[in-house]
Amino acid sequence: MTHTQPPSAVAPNSPATAPDQVIADTRARIDDLDRRIIALITERVALSQEVQRTRIAAGGRRVQLTREMDVIARYREALDKPGTEVAMALLELCRGRI
């Protein structure tokens, strides 16, 4: 006597589970990217703080607006209008509110 699966049971590699697996795999890749992006942002914050400390120690200002405008323009060029918002959030993380 052979054992058969109920009609509701689906084999792991069947077409019905393929989209679920694709979604799970893709989300795992997105989660990995998020971890890497957060690590890069953390590194950028530390570098920005070093620049600020060095600039202040040399008698300069904490924030250099022309540099910030260059950063905003770079993000806007790469990501269109949302790039401006991304750049502004990143700059705020790196230098605090002005």
Side-chain angles (χ1 to χ4, degrees):
M1 181 165 129
T2 61
H3 177 68
T4 58
Q5 293 181 330
S8 61
V10 180
N13 293 324
S14 73
T17 60
D20 290 341
Q21 189 59 52
V22 169
I23 290 168
D25 292 348
T26 304
R27 284 181 176 164
R29 291 177 61 198
I30 289 170
D31 291 346
D32 181 57
L33 284 171
D34 286 343
R35 282 188 287 278
R36 291 167 39 201
I37 290 167
I38 290 167
L40 288 170
I41 290 170
T42 301
E43 182 179 357
R44 191 187 194 289
V45 168
L47 292 171
S48 179
Q49 290 171 347
E50 182 180 341
V51 167
Q52 290 176 54
R53 281 191 302 272
T54 304
R55 192 181 306 118
I56 290 168
R61 304 176 93 181
R62 180 175 68 90
V63 175
Q64 187 178 24
L65 294 179
T66 55
R67 167 71 178 159
E68 289 197 0
M69 295 307 295
D70 291 343
V71 170
I72 293 167
R74 184 178 325 125
Y75 277 78
R76 184 179 52 245
E77 183 178 313
L79 303 172
D80 294 320
K81 186 179 178 185
T84 299
E85 295 172 20
V86 171
M88 295 296 289
L90 186 59
L91 290 169
E92 185 174 329
L93 281 168
C94 291
R95 56 125 161 90
R97 291 184 176 259
I98 47 176

